[in-house]
Amino acid sequence: MLTVDFSRFPLAPGDRVLDLGCGAGRHAFECYRRGAQVVALDQNGEEIREVAKWFAAMKEAGEAPEGATATAMEGDALALPFPDESFDVVIISEVMEHIPDDKGVLAEMVRVLKPGGRIAITVPRYGPEKVCWALSDAYHEVEGGHIRIYKADELLAKIREAGLKPYGTHHAHALHSPYWWLKCAFGVDNDKALPVRAYHKLLVWDIMKKPLATRVAEQALNPLIGKSFVAYATKPHLPAVDAR
């Protein structure tokens, strides 16, 4: 289940991609399949080890084209272990809402992104997220949990302040908002509640089968209750300096 829409976020074979805070690796895997040179980075060592195993399995199964590479590594988003201008593309999906120093993370992403490079940022959307917070303290008052809710204009202002130029936005995963509202209403850790179990089955069926009816429904509902807000931006080239 991808949050980044690659039809709006072009990726060329050979592009050097950083998936920052990669989690289970869903975007990193897609970039690898598309022929990129991928670095998946996360502070969670257990998840990174799993991502590395999946990269190896994908290579063994021939899922990645010739020339594609994939590396999984632990790291700190506020102190990236890469030189300046190392990547053509940076993706950070559902991460910034967890980090107190979000401006510091943006600064690091801009530092390692090449001029002309592209960045995709996804965060929980303000409206659906406010409902979750209202229904359940346990949803967000946990170690490593969500510490802020972004309004779209606020996030875009921070992106511009960091020196990036936004070029597009959209919302995603409308069908997932009611699931999280149910989770919050019945208990975040209570997976046995009948409405939660029933809706989870629907989501699994939708992800596996991709039926036209739910695809159309989600597209129609995304502007209203899309769970995620997605922003795309570029790093401008510096103006030429007259050496005379």
Side-chain angles (χ1 to χ4, degrees):
M1 184 187 73
L2 299 174
T3 307
V4 172
D5 181 352
F6 285 92
S7 69
R8 309 180 194 218
F9 190 65
L11 189 68
D15 275 353
R16 186 161 167 78
V17 177
L18 172 63
D19 185 1
L20 181 56
C22 65
R26 57 200 173 106
H27 289 106
F29 300 148
E30 180 65 20
C31 294
Y32 189 31
R33 290 188 187 98
R34 289 171 178 261
Q37 298 175 6
V38 183
V39 176
L41 183 144
D42 201 285
Q43 67 177 2
N44 187 318
E46 184 176 342
E47 286 198 310
I48 282 298
R49 287 187 287 275
E50 284 299 310
V51 170
K53 289 178 184 178
W54 278 105
F55 279 151
M58 291 172 67
K59 182 177 181 180
E60 181 70 20
E63 290 188 34
E66 186 176 352
T69 62
T71 302
M73 61 185 296
E74 288 186 60
D76 182 355
L78 290 165
L80 295 174
F82 310 112
D84 295 355
E85 302 179 4
S86 299
F87 294 94
D88 302 288
V89 173
V90 177
I91 296 171
I92 184 166
S93 183
E94 311 299 303
V95 173
M96 287 180 58
E97 67 276 10
H98 296 273
I99 301 176
D101 186 8
D102 58 347
K103 290 185 178 181
V105 172
L106 275 166
E108 272 294 87
M109 290 190 290
V110 172
R111 180 183 68 78
V112 302
L113 186 64
K114 297 176 182 179
R118 302 172 302 286
I119 189 166
I121 299 173
T122 91
V123 297
R125 185 183 185 178
Y126 183 82
E129 187 77 347
K130 285 286 283 187
V131 174
C132 289
W133 283 44
L135 290 171
S136 171
D137 290 337
Y139 172 79
H140 63 97
E141 291 182 356
V142 295
E143 184 178 354
H146 299 186
I147 62 170
R148 71 173 64 83
I149 307 176
Y150 288 102
K151 291 184 177 179
D153 289 347
E154 174 194 0
L155 180 60
L156 290 171
K158 289 187 176 184
I159 290 171
R160 292 188 182 97
E161 184 182 343
L164 297 167
K165 184 178 179 180
Y167 69 84
T169 65
H170 64 90
H171 300 100
H173 309 319
L175 296 182
H176 289 250
S177 290
Y179 172 72
W180 282 103
W181 297 339
L182 289 169
K183 288 270 288 181
C184 289
F186 286 92
V188 174
D189 297 320
N190 180 15
D191 293 328
K192 296 182 179 180
L194 180 59
V196 175
R197 287 191 290 117
Y199 202 97
H200 184 262
K201 287 183 179 179
L202 170 66
L203 290 179
V204 172
W205 173 75
D206 174 57
I207 291 170
M208 299 301 293
K209 300 297 184 180
K210 297 180 175 63
L212 178 61
T214 56
R215 296 299 88 213
V216 171
E218 184 157 77
Q219 287 296 321
L221 291 171
N222 274 337
L224 301 174
I225 60 169
K227 184 71 170 65
S228 295
F229 173 71
V230 188
Y232 305 105
T234 58
K235 180 178 178 178
H237 290 275
L238 293 174
V241 176
D242 190 342
R244 291 179 297 175

